[in-house]
Short mmCIF file of all heavy atoms in Angstrom, two decimals:
data_model
loop_
_atom_site.label_atom_id
_atom_site.label_comp_id
_atom_site.label_asym_id
_atom_site.label_seq_id
_atom_site.Cartn_x
_atom_site.Cartn_y
_atom_site.Cartn_z
N LYS A 55 -15.08 22.69 14.28
CA LYS A 55 -14.55 22.52 12.99
C LYS A 55 -13.00 22.38 13.08
O LYS A 55 -12.48 22.60 14.11
CB LYS A 55 -14.77 23.80 12.08
CG LYS A 55 -14.28 25.05 12.77
CD LYS A 55 -14.77 26.25 11.95
CE LYS A 55 -14.46 27.58 12.54
NZ LYS A 55 -13.07 28.06 12.47
N HIS A 56 -12.44 21.85 12.03
CA HIS A 56 -10.95 21.75 11.89
C HIS A 56 -10.50 22.66 10.85
O HIS A 56 -10.76 22.46 9.67
CB HIS A 56 -10.58 20.26 11.69
CG HIS A 56 -11.23 19.28 12.54
ND1 HIS A 56 -10.78 19.06 13.94
CD2 HIS A 56 -12.29 18.46 12.40
CE1 HIS A 56 -11.49 18.26 14.44
NE2 HIS A 56 -12.44 17.85 13.63
N ASP A 57 -9.70 23.66 11.23
CA ASP A 57 -9.23 24.66 10.21
C ASP A 57 -8.20 24.10 9.32
O ASP A 57 -7.94 24.66 8.13
CB ASP A 57 -8.72 25.84 10.89
CG ASP A 57 -9.84 26.76 11.60
OD1 ASP A 57 -10.99 26.64 10.88
OD2 ASP A 57 -9.57 27.28 12.51
N ASP A 58 -7.46 23.00 9.64
CA ASP A 58 -6.34 22.55 8.97
C ASP A 58 -6.56 21.14 8.30
O ASP A 58 -5.55 20.66 7.71
CB ASP A 58 -5.10 22.54 9.83
CG ASP A 58 -4.78 23.83 10.37
OD1 ASP A 58 -4.94 24.92 9.58
OD2 ASP A 58 -4.43 23.91 11.55
N THR A 59 -7.77 20.55 8.46
CA THR A 59 -7.80 19.18 7.95
C THR A 59 -9.28 18.90 7.57
O THR A 59 -10.14 19.42 8.25
CB THR A 59 -7.36 18.18 8.94
OG1 THR A 59 -7.48 16.84 8.28
CG2 THR A 59 -8.09 18.20 10.25
N ASP A 60 -9.46 18.11 6.50
CA ASP A 60 -10.77 17.47 6.28
C ASP A 60 -10.96 16.45 7.32
O ASP A 60 -10.02 16.00 8.08
CB ASP A 60 -10.73 16.79 4.85
CG ASP A 60 -10.46 17.80 3.67
OD1 ASP A 60 -10.72 18.96 3.83
OD2 ASP A 60 -9.93 17.26 2.57
N ASP A 61 -12.26 16.01 7.39
CA ASP A 61 -12.54 14.94 8.42
C ASP A 61 -13.28 13.79 7.72
O ASP A 61 -14.33 14.05 7.11
CB ASP A 61 -13.58 15.68 9.40
CG ASP A 61 -13.28 15.31 10.85
OD1 ASP A 61 -12.41 14.42 11.12
OD2 ASP A 61 -14.04 15.86 11.78
N PHE A 62 -12.56 12.69 7.82
CA PHE A 62 -13.11 11.44 7.06
C PHE A 62 -14.01 10.56 8.02
O PHE A 62 -13.49 10.12 9.13
CB PHE A 62 -11.94 10.62 6.55
CG PHE A 62 -12.28 9.28 5.93
CD1 PHE A 62 -12.28 9.17 4.58
CD2 PHE A 62 -12.51 8.18 6.79
CE1 PHE A 62 -12.61 7.89 3.98
CE2 PHE A 62 -12.82 6.91 6.23
CZ PHE A 62 -12.75 6.91 4.83
N PHE A 63 -15.18 10.38 7.62
CA PHE A 63 -16.11 9.43 8.32
C PHE A 63 -16.59 8.28 7.39
O PHE A 63 -17.05 8.45 6.33
CB PHE A 63 -17.43 10.14 8.81
CG PHE A 63 -17.18 11.24 9.75
CD1 PHE A 63 -16.81 12.50 9.28
CD2 PHE A 63 -17.32 11.02 11.07
CE1 PHE A 63 -16.79 13.58 10.20
CE2 PHE A 63 -17.27 12.05 11.97
CZ PHE A 63 -16.84 13.46 11.58
N LEU A 64 -16.40 7.02 7.92
CA LEU A 64 -16.99 5.89 7.18
C LEU A 64 -17.79 5.19 8.23
O LEU A 64 -17.13 4.62 9.32
CB LEU A 64 -15.90 4.91 6.69
CG LEU A 64 -16.38 3.55 6.21
CD1 LEU A 64 -17.48 3.54 5.05
CD2 LEU A 64 -15.16 2.64 5.69
N VAL A 65 -19.02 5.00 8.05
CA VAL A 65 -19.91 4.36 8.98
C VAL A 65 -19.69 2.86 8.77
O VAL A 65 -19.96 2.34 7.64
CB VAL A 65 -21.32 4.74 8.83
CG1 VAL A 65 -22.20 4.05 9.85
CG2 VAL A 65 -21.40 6.23 9.09
N LEU A 66 -19.46 2.16 9.88
CA LEU A 66 -19.27 0.64 9.82
C LEU A 66 -20.41 -0.07 10.28
O LEU A 66 -20.68 -1.22 9.95
CB LEU A 66 -17.92 0.30 10.73
CG LEU A 66 -16.74 1.04 10.29
CD1 LEU A 66 -15.69 0.76 11.48
CD2 LEU A 66 -16.14 0.46 9.02
N LYS A 67 -21.24 0.62 11.15
CA LYS A 67 -22.43 -0.10 11.78
C LYS A 67 -23.29 1.09 12.23
O LYS A 67 -22.90 2.07 12.88
CB LYS A 67 -22.04 -0.93 12.88
CG LYS A 67 -23.09 -1.62 13.68
CD LYS A 67 -22.51 -2.27 14.86
CE LYS A 67 -23.73 -3.05 15.66
NZ LYS A 67 -23.21 -3.76 16.99
N GLY A 68 -24.65 0.86 11.95
CA GLY A 68 -25.71 1.71 12.42
C GLY A 68 -25.79 2.99 11.41
O GLY A 68 -25.42 2.96 10.37
N GLN A 69 -26.34 4.09 12.12
CA GLN A 69 -26.68 5.31 11.27
C GLN A 69 -26.11 6.58 12.06
O GLN A 69 -26.22 6.56 13.24
CB GLN A 69 -28.08 5.36 11.10
CG GLN A 69 -28.74 4.24 10.45
CD GLN A 69 -30.14 4.33 9.97
OE1 GLN A 69 -30.91 5.19 10.40
NE2 GLN A 69 -30.50 3.59 8.99
N VAL A 70 -25.57 7.42 11.23
CA VAL A 70 -24.98 8.58 11.83
C VAL A 70 -25.57 9.82 11.01
O VAL A 70 -25.53 9.74 9.79
CB VAL A 70 -23.39 8.55 11.80
CG1 VAL A 70 -22.83 9.88 12.19
CG2 VAL A 70 -22.86 7.34 12.60
N ILE A 71 -25.77 10.87 11.61
CA ILE A 71 -26.17 12.16 10.98
C ILE A 71 -25.03 13.09 11.25
O ILE A 71 -24.59 13.37 12.41
CB ILE A 71 -27.48 12.73 11.45
CG1 ILE A 71 -28.56 11.76 11.04
CG2 ILE A 71 -27.65 14.07 10.88
CD1 ILE A 71 -29.92 12.10 11.64
N ILE A 72 -24.39 13.63 10.19
CA ILE A 72 -23.39 14.64 10.19
C ILE A 72 -24.13 16.01 10.12
O ILE A 72 -24.67 16.25 8.99
CB ILE A 72 -22.29 14.58 9.16
CG1 ILE A 72 -21.58 13.15 9.25
CG2 ILE A 72 -21.20 15.66 9.43
CD1 ILE A 72 -20.88 12.80 10.52
N ARG A 73 -24.41 16.71 11.18
CA ARG A 73 -25.06 17.89 11.14
C ARG A 73 -24.20 19.04 10.52
O ARG A 73 -23.08 19.20 11.10
CB ARG A 73 -25.77 18.29 12.42
CG ARG A 73 -26.87 17.28 12.83
CD ARG A 73 -27.51 17.74 14.10
NE ARG A 73 -28.80 17.01 14.18
CZ ARG A 73 -29.34 16.56 15.34
NH1 ARG A 73 -28.67 16.81 16.45
NH2 ARG A 73 -30.51 15.83 15.25
N LEU A 74 -24.59 19.64 9.52
CA LEU A 74 -23.88 20.86 9.04
C LEU A 74 -24.78 22.09 9.36
O LEU A 74 -26.00 21.90 9.59
CB LEU A 74 -23.55 20.65 7.58
CG LEU A 74 -22.91 19.45 7.17
CD1 LEU A 74 -22.72 19.41 5.66
CD2 LEU A 74 -21.43 19.42 7.82
N ARG A 75 -24.31 23.28 9.32
CA ARG A 75 -25.17 24.39 9.58
C ARG A 75 -26.29 24.54 8.64
O ARG A 75 -27.33 25.00 9.13
CB ARG A 75 -24.24 25.66 9.54
CG ARG A 75 -23.32 25.82 10.68
CD ARG A 75 -24.00 25.88 12.15
NE ARG A 75 -22.97 26.08 13.21
CZ ARG A 75 -23.37 25.94 14.47
NH1 ARG A 75 -24.66 25.65 14.85
NH2 ARG A 75 -22.45 26.18 15.40
N GLU A 76 -26.07 24.16 7.47
CA GLU A 76 -27.25 24.41 6.39
C GLU A 76 -28.10 23.13 6.17
O GLU A 76 -29.07 23.20 5.45
CB GLU A 76 -26.71 24.97 5.13
CG GLU A 76 -25.87 23.99 4.34
CD GLU A 76 -24.53 23.73 4.72
OE1 GLU A 76 -24.02 24.10 5.96
OE2 GLU A 76 -23.80 23.13 3.95
N ARG A 77 -27.64 21.89 6.67
CA ARG A 77 -28.29 20.69 6.44
C ARG A 77 -27.77 19.65 7.13
O ARG A 77 -26.73 19.71 7.73
CB ARG A 77 -28.25 20.33 4.92
CG ARG A 77 -26.97 20.06 4.42
CD ARG A 77 -26.85 20.06 2.86
NE ARG A 77 -25.49 19.86 2.45
CZ ARG A 77 -24.91 18.73 2.12
NH1 ARG A 77 -25.82 17.66 2.12
NH2 ARG A 77 -23.80 18.55 1.69
N ASP A 78 -28.41 18.45 7.14
CA ASP A 78 -28.02 17.26 7.79
C ASP A 78 -27.59 16.27 6.71
O ASP A 78 -28.26 16.18 5.65
CB ASP A 78 -29.09 16.53 8.59
CG ASP A 78 -29.43 17.28 9.83
OD1 ASP A 78 -28.70 18.19 10.25
OD2 ASP A 78 -30.46 16.97 10.52
N VAL A 79 -26.53 15.45 6.91
CA VAL A 79 -26.11 14.50 6.06
C VAL A 79 -26.30 13.11 6.67
O VAL A 79 -25.66 12.79 7.66
CB VAL A 79 -24.66 14.65 5.60
CG1 VAL A 79 -24.20 13.40 4.66
CG2 VAL A 79 -24.35 16.02 4.87
N ALA A 80 -27.24 12.33 6.28
CA ALA A 80 -27.48 11.03 6.86
C ALA A 80 -26.69 9.96 6.29
O ALA A 80 -26.68 9.81 5.14
CB ALA A 80 -29.02 10.62 6.77
N LEU A 81 -26.02 9.21 7.11
CA LEU A 81 -25.14 8.09 6.71
C LEU A 81 -25.40 6.83 7.23
O LEU A 81 -25.85 6.78 8.52
CB LEU A 81 -23.63 8.42 7.12
CG LEU A 81 -23.02 9.78 6.70
CD1 LEU A 81 -21.57 9.86 7.20
CD2 LEU A 81 -22.94 9.73 5.09
N LYS A 82 -25.40 5.76 6.49
CA LYS A 82 -25.68 4.39 7.09
C LYS A 82 -24.34 3.60 6.77
O LYS A 82 -23.29 4.05 6.15
CB LYS A 82 -26.80 3.79 6.42
CG LYS A 82 -26.92 3.60 4.93
CD LYS A 82 -28.17 3.11 4.50
CE LYS A 82 -28.29 2.69 3.03
NZ LYS A 82 -28.22 3.97 2.23
N ALA A 83 -24.36 2.30 7.29
CA ALA A 83 -23.12 1.56 7.15
C ALA A 83 -22.80 1.44 5.74
O ALA A 83 -23.57 1.23 4.88
CB ALA A 83 -23.41 0.20 7.68
#
Side-chain angles (χ1 to χ4, degrees):
Chain A
K55 63 187 171 77
H56 306 286
D57 287 328
D58 299 321
T59 179
D60 300 336
D61 220 356
F62 173 102
F63 296 85
L64 167 60
V65 177
L66 301 169
K67 180 181 173 184
Q69 302 192 340
V70 176
I71 294 173
I72 307 293
R73 291 185 164 144
L74 307 176
R75 287 298 184 188
E76 74 281 15
R77 68 197 172 92
D78 289 349
V79 178
L81 300 177
K82 57 182 187 292

